Amino acid sequence: VRTMFVGNEAPSRANKRSKRTNKAAKGDVASGRFSCVAALGMILWICLFICCVLALVLNNYEEGEELGLNMKGEETSYIQGPAREKFKYRLPQNALLFSLAAGCFAVFTAAYFVSFILIQGRGPPPTITQSQYIYRGLKTHAWSSLPPQIAVGCVLAVLVGFSSEEIKKGTGFASGGAFCAGALLLLLSQLLGLWTVANANLRVANALAGDKGLSVGLRIATRAGGVCGLVSQAFALMGCAVLYLFITDLVVLVAFAAGGSYLAFLIRVGGTIFSSGARIGDDLIGASDESRKMEEDRIFQQQVMLKKAEEARRERPKQGDVEAPADDDDDDEVQAGFDGKHHPIEMLPSVGGSISEASGSATDAFESLSLALAITAMVGVKHLVNDPEMGAALPFWIAGGGVASSALLSFGLIVFESSSARMLRLALRASNMLCGAAVVGVPLAVLLIKQHTDKTNIGFTQILQFAFCIGAGVLAPELNSVICEVLTDIQSVPSRIASIAEHGGPVQVLLSGTSCGFLGTILPSLVAMLAVTGAFHLEGFYGVALLTVASLGASPFYASMAAFSAVSSNAYFLVPTVASTAGVGGGRSSGRARRRAIKMIELSAATSQSGKVASVTSVLFLAFCVSIIVLAEALTRDNQQLATFVGRPISEFSFIGLFSGVFLPFGFVGVTMAAVSGIGHEYVTHCKTQLKEDSPDRIVALVQRLVAFGQHRSYEKVALPLVVSIGAPLMAGMFLGAPGLSIFLQTCAITAFCLSTFLTVTASLFESARNYILYGNLVKDADASGRVARVQPGDPPYNALTLARSIGAPMGDASGPALAQHVKLILVFGVLSLGLFKIDPGKTWEYGFVAAAGVVLCASLIAIVSRWLALKRTPINTMLSKTELDYHDSRIEATKTEAMLTEQGDASPMSLAREGGASPLYREATQATDAAARSFQLHKSSEEM
């Protein structure tokens, strides 16, 4: 202000604001930016990649031992050979160094993707404003989640240290540190994934409205998803490799996986409860009913016009007309952009989708891979007595090949503007199969080279059996995802459900959908059963272990596609604003942008379902390996061999474990569904009593407050399932013994697999049947004149399917994916506490009551604290809401007054106010702003104290 009076040409803040307003009115596209941090990250990780490759080369020379690279490990045999016989083996250094190199290359690829995304155009200013609501919501959720995550992690780190000390003396401190390292790496990958998704949303929406929209938009979305999948898998692989290389103890690797497991449970389960509750709250409030109805009508009309154009295109060659029609980008006149008149809860589904799909899938992949590597290496060392080094090396060769190939294939997605959603899905599936080929090819090539150079005792027949187990692990999740996609394809079963809706009602729709969901569980269960049976028949327990880690070999691709689903949904939410901005980029069309966005939405629905089915399939395989480890460790402590124990009659304790493992997943689903319903109702109450729809300048603050409220409530509701998941293996092992716990883990995983598949398929069936009508596919009977009419949004069949979708969506989005996290947390703490279990439960049943009392005490404490916070939150939130909103109101009024006086010729109202010469209106506005700011800061300080 002072420099303005001495003649400086620098513009004032009001002039800058007016220029930004004029720029927004013109619809200029905001350019991207170059990221120095991403560039430095590429340099750093490519240098580390080169160092790992050089170390791998040096390790294959005889001088490697002199360089300190020849390291030994020590284990106790109990799967093959005499029980409790200690032996030493050479660490699989080549495999570990290869895993480090693959992880470094994957993180380098992710850094390049971040740089590529940030340099893209961000779109017009209205889109940036709208995307800021999602970005601020994600930021608020991430930061408000840190205190409970840290508090729970500190308690569990101490427990993991004590339990690891019981398994193997001297590993307690290292296990506690590994637990913290796993949690930290998972948290970093989750925050980076969320940040990338938040920045990719508006860039994808801007690209879809451009000339080469589908190709560029899909490339940005897949690379944003690639950052989530590649970073999480690379961190898991590198963390396990570093710990194994320097600590040489496999129990520490399990502790590393436990650090990621508890955090993944909080993020995935809490995020899905938050997301599903937000959707229910949005539906109950009905703030977006009118805009949603307009959107559905636009989609229906556009799809009908596309079908008519396609029919006309087919008839032209028959009539001798080969001239192509002009591209009709039609519905520009009905396209409505973002005007700021939105209820804050309308933004929450976008925020929740990013958390549950992007963050949840990435953390799920991290947890699964780290646990699978630890368990498979543990089984391999104790199983392959003729070559324990190779037994521990194979899982790292498999995972390293999968991570490196996923990074390479993420570059090469080729898309054409005319590609349909089905063609795009086939292209992604082809890339996934190429990744699977690398997962099989890398360990097979290593085994053949080792045999050719006489560096292994494994024969050629056994190599082929290993290849079969690895190949079955790659194919089983892919086959299950294909089966579920065929069942839920819009032209197959959903079309029949839509026809039933036309002639029936909601009851018939629900019955037909759930019956098809039950039937859809049969084929995936048969595929999983055949894979496990074949692997066990060929290579015993180690075959099942290889099957497990191979099923996760392509998991970076699945995690990337799940994150792609979140980016596509958010971009679809932003497309109307981009396309409706006048003059943006020249030649933009809302009709074309909408068609491209619909293709991405169809593709994202398939990829999201595939990720869920593949995840629960790998959990089923993992449960068999963990049950073997638990039983074998207990037998070793009792001086018995596993081979002599297998085949004995099942005891009564095992029967109890069988039934306990069946009803526990059903109880977990009931708790999560009740949590989703409860938080949806709480959203409604909170919005009606403390929030109101108002000026767009206040929406950011309101969205942040609503996200913080939902995050606190979702974490309070997820606390009880967390305690039960940790305490369940302890109680089962104490009361039922190691054999009963082994059966309990297997039946729990089998029930969760079937139940999760049923919930996912049923929810997808209802969604696809609704889209079948929305896309204009359901035709009514022709009238007397022969004219064909179509069922459209608003008709009774569509309303019945919308009701079914509202019921099925929480089951498929919340309970289905959460079951996988529930089972994995049980498996992790079942392994970490195996030093406490005996074969005969008569020696440990007294401690079972102690574990049960601890679970009940923790559950009661959680209920009391939740109730106390609920009572305390209401008056504080009301007070803060009033002061915060008064502060925002006064700022808005002062800003409007300043702009008005500037337009009237007042060059510097701020300086005049400071000198006492401003108008009374402006002085009154600034005084109100200062008073509200002081009040708000006072109440904020009181809350912190």
Side-chain angles (χ1 to χ4, degrees):
V1 172
R2 185 175 66 252
T3 56
M4 288 182 63
F5 284 100
V6 298
N8 198 315
E9 295 294 329
S12 66
R13 185 174 64 177
N15 292 336
K16 288 182 180 179
R17 186 181 298 111
S18 64
K19 287 185 178 181
R20 287 197 299 267
T21 305
N22 295 333
K23 194 174 182 180
K26 293 178 182 178
D28 293 338
V29 176
S31 60
R33 61 184 177 88
F34 175 76
S35 175
C36 295
V37 177
L40 292 175
M42 286 190 284
I43 295 174
L44 172 64
W45 289 104
I46 200 64
C47 291
L48 292 175
F49 169 75
I50 295 172
C51 293
C52 292
V53 172
L54 290 177
L56 180 60
V57 173
L58 290 175
N59 193 51
N60 287 278
Y61 287 95
E62 294 181 358
E63 290 83 358
E65 187 170 356
E66 299 177 4
L67 294 174
L69 296 176
N70 194 1
M71 307 175 73
K72 302 287 186 181
E74 183 177 284
E75 282 295 335
T76 304
S77 65
Y78 53 68
I79 293 181
Q80 297 285 345
R84 305 192 71 173
E85 179 179 322
K86 293 186 177 181
F87 63 94
K88 291 186 176 182
Y89 66 99
R90 188 176 184 269
L91 287 182
Q93 292 160 192
N94 285 335
L96 298 178
L97 293 173
F98 172 76
S99 299
L100 290 174
C104 291
F105 178 72
V107 181
F108 161 78
T109 304
Y112 170 76
F113 287 168
V114 169
S115 178
F116 170 81
I117 292 168
L118 294 179
I119 210 169
Q120 304 298 319
R122 294 183 294 165
T127 312
I128 299 175
T129 302
Q130 189 178 4
S131 66
Q132 281 296 312
Y133 302 147
I134 303 175
Y135 178 79
R136 295 288 184 85
L138 291 174
K139 184 177 179 180
T140 301
H141 189 280
W143 285 110
S144 58
S145 301
L146 284 179
Q149 291 172 355
I150 295 174
V152 175
C154 292
V155 175
L156 291 180
V158 176
L159 295 178
V160 167
F162 280 113
S163 62
S164 300
E165 191 70 20
E166 290 293 327
I167 299 174
K168 183 178 290 188
K169 299 298 182 182
T171 60
F173 183 77
S175 296
F179 179 92
C180 296
L184 180 61
L185 288 178
L186 179 61
L187 185 62
L188 289 177
S189 63
Q190 180 244 352
L191 293 177
L192 179 60
L194 276 182
W195 179 82
T196 306
V197 168
N199 283 276
N201 294 331
L202 72 165
R203 290 169 168 85
V204 174
N206 178 59
L208 290 175
D211 294 333
K212 298 181 179 179
L214 185 60
S215 177
V216 178
L218 194 60
R219 187 177 296 114
I220 297 172
T222 52
R223 290 185 175 183
V227 173
C228 299
L230 291 176
V231 171
S232 61
Q233 293 292 82
F235 281 176
L237 182 60
M238 290 190 295
C240 290
V242 169
L243 290 174
Y244 195 18
L245 192 61
F246 291 101
I247 301 181
T248 69
D249 199 312
L250 294 171
V251 176
V252 178
L253 267 66
V254 180
F256 176 81
S261 182
Y262 99 91
L263 199 56
F265 186 89
L266 289 177
I267 294 172
R268 181 75 165 188
V269 181
T272 52
I273 291 175
F274 172 88
S275 175
S276 300
R279 291 192 181 96
I280 293 176
D282 186 18
D283 293 338
L284 292 176
I285 291 174
S288 56
D289 285 349
E290 183 178 355
S291 59
R292 188 184 296 117
K293 179 65 168 60
M294 294 173 60
E295 179 71 14
E296 291 173 353
D297 290 338
R298 292 191 193 107
I299 294 175
F300 177 79
Q301 296 296 335
Q302 187 181 62
Q303 294 296 319
V304 170
M305 284 187 285
L306 288 175
K307 292 181 183 301
K308 293 180 179 179
E310 183 65 26
E311 293 174 359
R313 189 177 296 112
R314 293 173 182 171
E315 293 295 330
R316 276 194 302 274
K318 300 178 181 179
Q319 300 174 0
D321 183 10
V322 295
E323 182 180 356
D327 187 16
D328 52 344
D329 296 320
D330 28 62
D331 59 342
D332 292 339
E333 71 278 2
V334 298
Q335 179 69 52
F338 177 74
D339 56 2
K341 297 179 180 178
H342 283 253
H343 194 284
I345 201 171
E346 293 182 48
M347 311 298 169
L348 259 63
S350 298
V351 175
S354 300
I355 296 168
S356 60
E357 295 291 345
S359 262
S361 301
T363 54
D364 182 24
F366 181 101
E367 172 194 16
S368 299
L369 183 62
S370 55
L371 182 59
L373 287 173
I375 296 300
T376 307
M378 191 179 297
V379 175
V381 168
K382 303 170 186 297
H383 178 85
L384 291 180
V385 292
N386 55 342
D387 194 350
E389 178 189 355
M390 184 55 66
L394 278 180
F396 288 94
W397 287 114
I398 293 170
V403 170
S405 60
S406 297
L408 285 173
L409 292 170
S410 298
F411 283 96
L413 185 63
I414 300 175
V415 179
F416 299 99
E417 186 65 30
S418 60
S419 300
S420 64
R422 184 169 297 180
M423 293 174 62
L424 296 175
R425 183 66 186 113
L426 290 176
L428 292 177
R429 176 161 288 118
S431 300
N432 197 16
M433 294 309 298
L434 289 176
C435 179
V439 169
V440 179
V442 169
L444 182 60
V446 170
L447 286 169
L448 292 176
I449 292 173
K450 289 281 188 180
Q451 189 197 36
H452 181 71
T453 55
D454 296 329
K455 292 184 178 180
T456 181
N457 297 323
I458 300 176
F460 183 74
T461 303
Q462 195 172 16
I463 291 176
L464 294 180
Q465 293 174 351
F466 286 163
F468 175 84
C469 296
I470 298 171
V474 171
L475 289 176
E478 186 66 19
L479 283 176
N480 283 345
S481 63
V482 170
I483 291 170
C484 293
E485 284 184 30
V486 170
L487 289 173
T488 59
D489 184 74
I490 197 171
Q491 298 295 337
S492 59
V493 179
S495 62
R496 293 195 291 271
I497 297 178
S499 300
I500 293 173
E502 183 183 7
H503 300 93
V507 176
Q508 287 81 0
V509 170
L510 290 172
L511 290 176
S512 60
T514 51
S515 63
C516 293
F518 280 117
L519 294 175
T521 310
I522 297 175
L523 287 179
S525 302
L526 289 175
V527 170
M529 181 187 68
L530 292 175
V532 172
T533 304
F536 183 81
H537 176 73
L538 292 176
E539 280 298 320
F541 300 126
Y542 189 55
V544 179
L546 291 178
L547 180 75
T548 301
V549 74
S551 67
L552 295 165
S555 57
F557 214 84
Y558 287 115
S560 301
M561 291 302 101
F564 161 81
S565 173
V567 177
S568 301
S569 301
N570 293 339
Y572 181 80
F573 179 69
L574 298 172
V575 156
T577 307
V578 180
S580 65
T581 305
V584 178
R588 293 193 172 215
S589 167
S590 62
R592 184 185 304 168
R594 185 181 298 278
R595 287 196 293 270
R596 293 165 175 167
I598 290 175
K599 286 182 182 179
M600 291 187 63
I601 284 292
E602 292 179 15
L603 177 62
S604 66
T607 56
S608 176
Q609 178 185 260
S610 297
K612 296 172 185 176
V613 174
S615 174
V616 74
T617 303
S618 62
V619 170
L620 177 63
F621 299 155
L622 188 60
F624 287 102
C625 297
V626 172
S627 64
I628 294 166
I629 290 291
V630 169
L631 183 58
E633 176 67 24
L635 288 170
T636 302
R637 291 175 177 271
D638 202 31
N639 291 323
Q640 299 184 45
Q641 287 188 352
L642 181 63
T644 60
F645 187 84
V646 175
R648 293 183 183 178
I650 298 179
S651 64
E652 62 275 12
F653 300 107
S654 298
F655 275 113
I656 297 175
L658 180 69
F659 288 104
S660 302
V662 170
F663 69 72
L664 186 61
F666 283 94
F668 178 80
V669 170
V671 171
T672 53
M673 292 298 294
V676 169
S677 175
I679 199 172
H681 176 71
E682 290 176 10
Y683 273 127
V684 176
T685 304
H686 186 77
C687 290
K688 288 183 178 180
T689 56
Q690 300 187 34
L691 297 181
K692 62 179 180 178
E693 184 179 358
D694 213 318
S695 171
D697 300 277
R698 305 168 42 150
I699 292 184
V700 173
L702 296 178
V703 167
Q704 288 178 313
R705 289 193 60 254
L706 201 55
V707 168
F709 169 79
Q711 184 274 327
H712 290 309
R713 295 300 295 140
S714 62
Y715 268 44
E716 289 172 14
K717 292 181 181 297
V718 84
L720 179 60
L722 176 67
V723 171
V724 174
S725 300
I726 295 175
L730 291 173
M731 291 187 292
M734 296 295 184
F735 283 122
L736 308 177
L741 176 61
S742 179
I743 296 294
F744 168 81
L745 296 177
Q746 294 179 27
T747 53
C748 185
I750 293 171
T751 306
F753 171 80
C754 296
L755 189 56
S756 177
T757 305
F758 160 73
L759 294 174
T760 303
V761 171
T762 303
S764 299
L765 283 171
F766 290 142
E767 178 72 22
S768 299
R770 175 179 173 272
N771 291 338
Y772 185 79
I773 296 179
L774 183 62
Y775 297 158
N777 294 315
L778 186 58
V779 179
K780 297 180 180 179
D781 296 332
D783 55 13
S785 61
R787 185 174 57 183
V788 175
R790 300 176 186 272
V791 178
Q792 57 185 348
D795 292 346
Y798 185 81
N799 295 335
L801 288 170
T802 301
L803 175 62
R805 171 182 171 270
S806 300
I807 297 173
M811 296 190 298
D813 295 339
S815 298
L819 272 171
Q821 302 298 137
H822 169 63
V823 174
K824 280 186 286 188
L825 193 63
I826 292 175
L827 296 177
V828 167
F829 282 91
V831 175
L832 286 176
S833 56
L834 56 84
L836 305 174
F837 308 140
K838 306 293 183 182
I839 295 296
D840 184 10
K843 302 177 181 179
T844 58
W845 66 271
E846 300 94 341
Y847 301 103
F849 289 104
V850 177
V855 171
V856 173
L857 179 62
C858 291
S860 304
L861 183 62
I862 290 170
I864 294 172
V865 171
S866 299
R867 182 60 180 169
W868 176 73
L869 290 176
L871 294 175
K872 184 181 178 182
R873 183 181 295 112
T874 303
I876 288 181
N877 273 0
T878 304
M879 178 180 63
L880 289 178
S881 174
K882 184 177 184 304
T883 55
E884 184 177 7
L885 296 183
D886 287 345
Y887 174 54
H888 281 279
D889 284 341
S890 58
R891 284 180 56 191
I892 293 168
E893 293 300 327
T895 303
K896 290 179 179 179
T897 306
E898 180 183 354
M900 180 185 67
L901 294 175
T902 303
E903 292 176 358
Q904 294 175 358
D906 192 348
S908 180
M910 289 185 64
S911 61
L912 292 177
R914 184 175 300 175
E915 297 175 5
S919 63
L921 176 63
Y922 187 78
R923 285 201 303 271
E924 183 180 353
T926 53
Q927 290 172 3
T929 302
D930 295 338
R934 287 193 299 270
S935 176
F936 174 56
Q937 293 297 331
L938 177 63
H939 286 299
K940 188 174 182 181
S941 301
S942 301
E943 185 204 27
E944 292 175 354
M945 292 175 62

